[in-house]
């Protein structure tokens, strides 16, 4: 792996990168405790560093984004329904990568630990996406095979002006809701003998508890 000379520049590239594979590579190249990176984020206004606009967020050409009401109901009772189920979670985790990167990029003047937290969360969301997309492949599908919606990113756009509002509505509401619904989903997967899928959701559940805690800490 090449040495990353300009970590702040790489962070912007992570945010704008459309390819999930390349985005994850760039995220994993970051040292989230690097003093150069954290100081660059803290001091960027004084140094006139320009970071990407919200509409420059990198998303792949597929999945096609449609209104949530247009998405069909998903079932775990057949493989197509299970593929749609994991695809939906995959899309949530990909969006969560961009949300975590944006939390670090969008808001200046926060303590170094704030930026370290959100970059660590971006790496954990990337790990979730990798596990889910791999499992999706095991059951015959890949990310982009189903439609998705961008409701989570719309919330990022509505909270881009206020870090307190972002912390309140994204980790403390969206991710907290995920904690509520994940245990029943794990049980449903175990009932259809998808043990690997259930194990992935258990790992995600454990990490998301920490993400909600981080949102509460910076709220």
């Amino acid at each position: 792996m090449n040495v990353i000379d300009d970590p702040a520049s790489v962070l912007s590239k992570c945010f704008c990168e459309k390819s999930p594979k390349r985005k994850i590579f760039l995220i994993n190249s970051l040292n989230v405790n690097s003093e150069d990176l954290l100081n660059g984020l803290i001091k960027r206004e004084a140094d006139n560093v320009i970071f990407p606009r919200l509409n420059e967020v990198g998303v792949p050409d597929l999945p096609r984004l449609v209104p949530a009401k247009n998405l069909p109901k998903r079932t775990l009772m057949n493989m197509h329904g299970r593929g749609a189920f994991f695809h939906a979670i995959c899309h949530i985790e990909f969006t969560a990568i961009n949300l975590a990167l944006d939390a670090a990029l969008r808001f200046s003047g926060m303590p170094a630990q704030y930026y370290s937290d959100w970059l660590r969360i971006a790496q954990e969301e990337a790990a979730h996406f990798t596990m889910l997309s791999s499992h999706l492949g095991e059951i015959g599908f890949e990310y982009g095979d189903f439609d998705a919606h961008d409701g989570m990113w719309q919330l990022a756009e509505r909270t881009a002006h206020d870090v307190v509002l972002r912390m309140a509505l994204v980790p403390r509401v969206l991710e907290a809701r995920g904690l509520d619904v994940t245990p029943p989903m794990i049980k449903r997967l175990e009932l259809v003998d998808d043990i690997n899928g259930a194990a992935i959701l258990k790992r995600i559940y454990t990490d998301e508890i920490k993400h909600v805690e981080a949102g509460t800490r910076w709220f």
Side-chain angles (χ1 to χ4, degrees):
M1 183 182 298
N2 295 330
V3 175
I4 303 300
D5 294 325
D6 184 356
S9 175
V10 171
L11 185 57
S12 291
K13 289 179 181 178
C14 286
F15 183 77
C16 296
E17 177 58 52
K18 294 178 64 173
S19 162
K21 184 176 180 179
R22 178 66 180 166
K23 188 186 289 281
I24 289 169
F25 170 81
L26 290 171
I27 290 169
N28 289 335
S29 74
L30 294 171
N31 175 359
V32 301
N33 296 310
S34 162
E35 290 186 8
D36 288 341
L37 174 57
L38 299 179
N39 287 336
L41 289 168
I42 294 167
K43 298 176 180 178
R44 62 189 182 275
E45 285 191 333
D47 295 338
N48 295 316
V49 177
I50 300 173
F51 283 98
R53 294 185 296 271
L54 276 165
N55 62 3
E56 294 177 313
V57 62
V59 294
D61 295 332
L62 293 174
R64 186 173 66 114
L65 299 178
V66 301
K69 65 181 180 180
N70 292 352
L71 294 173
K73 291 184 178 180
R74 294 178 289 271
T75 176
L76 298 180
M77 301 311 294
N78 59 63
M79 206 54 71
H80 186 272
R82 200 175 304 176
F85 171 82
F86 278 105
H87 187 276
I89 304 174
C90 229
H91 182 67
I92 288 171
E93 295 301 322
F94 184 81
T95 305
I97 296 171
N98 284 330
L99 283 167
L101 292 173
D102 188 73
L105 285 165
R106 201 60 46 203
F107 305 109
S108 61
M110 299 294 286
Q113 188 60 48
Y114 168 89
Y115 300 107
S116 181
D117 279 352
W118 287 104
L119 296 179
R120 172 185 54 80
I121 289 170
Q123 290 183 335
E124 291 176 352
E125 303 291 17
H128 299 167
F129 177 85
T130 300
M131 290 186 292
L132 287 163
S133 58
S134 177
H135 189 59
L136 198 58
E138 291 171 359
I139 58 178
F141 302 96
E142 62 181 38
Y143 184 54
D145 281 351
F146 299 86
D147 291 342
H149 70 86
D150 64 346
M152 287 177 65
W153 191 251
Q154 289 174 11
L155 191 57
E157 293 172 340
R158 294 198 297 269
T159 59
H161 64 289
D162 188 335
V163 64
V164 174
L165 190 60
R166 174 68 66 85
M167 295 298 107
L169 295 183
V170 175
R172 285 168 55 84
V173 173
L174 285 184
E175 294 201 67
R177 285 177 180 169
L179 293 179
D180 291 338
V181 302
T182 299
M185 291 193 296
I186 292 170
K187 289 182 180 179
R188 289 170 59 199
L189 288 169
E190 290 173 340
L191 286 173
V192 295
D193 293 325
D194 191 340
I195 304 305
N196 187 27
I200 292 170
L201 290 196
K202 288 177 182 177
R203 158 69 186 278
I204 291 173
Y205 181 80
T206 299
D207 287 344
E208 296 297 342
I209 291 173
K210 295 181 293 182
H211 299 177
V212 174
E213 290 173 347
T216 299
R217 181 162 57 252
W218 299 113
F219 171 63

